[in-house]
Amino acid sequence: MKEVTIVEHEEVQNNQRLPFYFYHSDQAIQSEHWHQGIELNYLIEGKDLRFALEGKTYHFNSSDIWLVNRRKIHSSSGKEENWEYKGLIIDDDFY
């Protein structure tokens, strides 16, 4: 019998006046998840952030920017390091 994996849906609470959710983090480790909106990320500090998107792994370094399309399963990992990144998750109703 094939094992079924359930991927967590991340519920994002937008600012009432803005059509997006903004975050700032120093944690590189994010388990697999997905959300309704488009996610735009900017790695300010750190190297070799491994970002898995729909089964393919990408490597990002300081000053890289990347986009995750809506409803795509993704996660991130990396060696213990000083990380700093910011991102936006743009509300599905905005576009």
Side-chain angles (χ1 to χ4, degrees), residues 1-94:
M1 180 188 262
K2 185 177 179 180
E3 186 177 318
V4 177
T5 303
I6 298 176
V7 177
E8 181 180 332
H9 171 251
E10 180 182 14
E11 188 68 38
V12 177
Q13 192 69 24
N14 293 337
N15 182 308
Q16 291 179 347
R17 299 177 315 176
L18 302 173
F20 59 84
Y21 170 73
F22 171 79
Y23 60 90
H24 178 208
S25 182
D26 60 1
Q27 300 296 312
I29 310 301
Q30 295 289 325
S31 61
E32 282 190 322
H33 66 282
W34 64 277
H35 29 76
Q36 296 289 342
I38 291 175
E39 181 176 348
L40 178 64
N41 295 293
Y42 172 52
L43 183 59
I44 298 166
E45 183 179 334
K47 61 183 177 187
D48 198 27
L49 173 69
R50 294 184 296 275
F51 194 86
L53 176 62
E54 295 282 300
K56 186 171 181 181
T57 301
Y58 301 88
H59 297 263
F60 296 109
N61 293 292
S62 294
S63 67
D64 283 342
I65 297 173
W66 67 98
L67 181 77
V68 180
N69 207 349
R70 58 197 298 267
R71 299 182 182 170
K72 297 295 180 184
I73 297 170
H74 57 283
S75 63
S76 61
S77 62
K79 293 182 180 179
E80 287 295 322
E81 180 172 331
N82 291 330
W83 298 98
E84 183 180 2
Y85 67 94
K86 296 184 182 202
L88 299 173
I89 299 176
I90 303 166
D91 187 17
D92 199 34
D93 293 332
F94 182 66

